[in-house]
Amino acid sequence: MNYEFTIIVPLYNEQENLRRVEEALTKYIEIAKKKTCVLFVNDGSVDESLVIIKDICSRNPDFKFISFEKNCGLSAAIKAGFDYAHTPLIGYIDSDLQTDPEDFNILMDYIAEYDLVTGHRADRKDSFVKNMSSLVANGIRRSFTHDGMDDTGCPLKIIKADYAKRIPMFKGLHRFLPAMILLQKGKVVQVPVRHYPRIAGKAKFHLLNRLVGPFIDCFAYLWMKRNYINYNVVAKDE
């Protein structure tokens, strides 16, 4: 249907939120600046999430889904979304709707000039502990990557597909998407977006995996940076 923009929605046990997601994204599609479709990526949910997204997709041709056999983690779900999207632009939003799909239009204003546009939750509505742990984790990551990003964990992003599909994903790499675009000599920018409290479902990240995980992943990123293959073909035999 000549879609230009795919919104990936990774989810794990989010049955309480999915009807809200359907409503919010349906409204966004009507005002989107690019012709938009939605791709649910069910990360092995063990609640009724898969039943609900099957129902949503059966009623709406702009919604599709893929489902994992078992839980593989957020990075795997995002990678699968990149692999299965067939549009020049790919977006990402969490199923908890702590960010607003309408803010994709704000990010879309920058995507012509940049290769990744990420939201920045300047006024976060999370707990003090969660905000402080994210602040520390972002500081650690930024000291390793020098990507200039204050909030790589913001679940609202747009990426040009040719860059997204070249990212060699590993577990935890969702925290390093801007840095991976920079490794490809791409351009990144962060833009303030709205943020809301979670009103349903349970957060999948806690203090330990918000701090220890990013610190360990930084060393994996450094290894990848040293060994990253990056080339440009300037001529070829026709």
Side-chain angles (χ1 to χ4, degrees), residues 147-162:
D147 60 10
M149 299 289 107
D150 299 308
D151 186 19
T152 59
C154 179
L156 197 76
K157 292 178 173 63
I158 299 178
I159 311 174
K160 289 178 180 174
D162 54 347

Side-chain angles (χ1 to χ4, degrees), residues 98 120-127 130-135 138 150-151 153-155 193-197 210:
Q98 286 192 255
H120 173 214
R121 298 166 291 185
D123 184 22
R124 289 188 65 169
K125 305 299 184 182
D126 288 321
S127 69
K130 187 173 183 180
N131 286 340
M132 290 306 297
S133 61
S134 292
L135 182 65
N138 273 299
D150 299 308
D151 186 19
C154 179
V193 296
R194 291 170 288 182
H195 190 247
Y196 307 98
R210 198 175 290 116

Side-chain angles (χ1 to χ4, degrees), residues 2-17:
N2 299 316
Y3 292 114
E4 302 169 280
F5 180 41
T6 300
I7 299 175
I8 300 168
V9 185
L11 62 108
Y12 176 64
N13 293 346
E14 292 285 0
Q15 62 182 16
E16 297 94 341
N17 283 312

Side-chain angles (χ1 to χ4, degrees), residues 6-15 18 21 25 37-47 49-54 56-57 62-86 90-96 165 169 204:
T6 300
I7 299 175
I8 300 168
V9 185
L11 62 108
Y12 176 64
N13 293 346
E14 292 285 0
Q15 62 182 16
L18 291 174
V21 171
L25 288 175
C37 61
V38 175
L39 176 62
F40 289 114
V41 182
N42 178 39
D43 185 18
S45 296
V46 294
D47 63 357
S49 293
L50 181 56
V51 173
I52 295 171
I53 62 175
K54 282 182 175 180
I56 292 171
C57 294
D62 295 325
F63 288 70
K64 303 295 182 183
F65 78 92
I66 57 176
S67 185
F68 290 172
E69 179 182 16
K70 61 181 181 180
N71 180 244
C72 297
L74 180 57
S75 291
I78 294 174
K79 173 67 164 64
F82 290 167
D83 291 342
Y84 280 82
H86 300 291
I90 302 174
Y92 154 51
I93 190 170
D94 274 355
S95 55
D96 57 21
K165 291 177 181 294
M169 294 287 280
K204 308 305 184 292

Side-chain angles (χ1 to χ4, degrees), residues 4 10 14 42-43 60 71 77 81 84 105-106 120 136 141 166 185 205 220-221 233:
E4 302 169 280
E14 292 285 0
N42 178 39
D43 185 18
N60 193 327
N71 180 244
Y84 280 82
N105 279 351
I106 299 174
H120 173 214
V136 172
R141 175 201 44 73
R166 291 199 300 264
K185 310 302 181 185
F205 293 95
Y221 167 79
V233 174

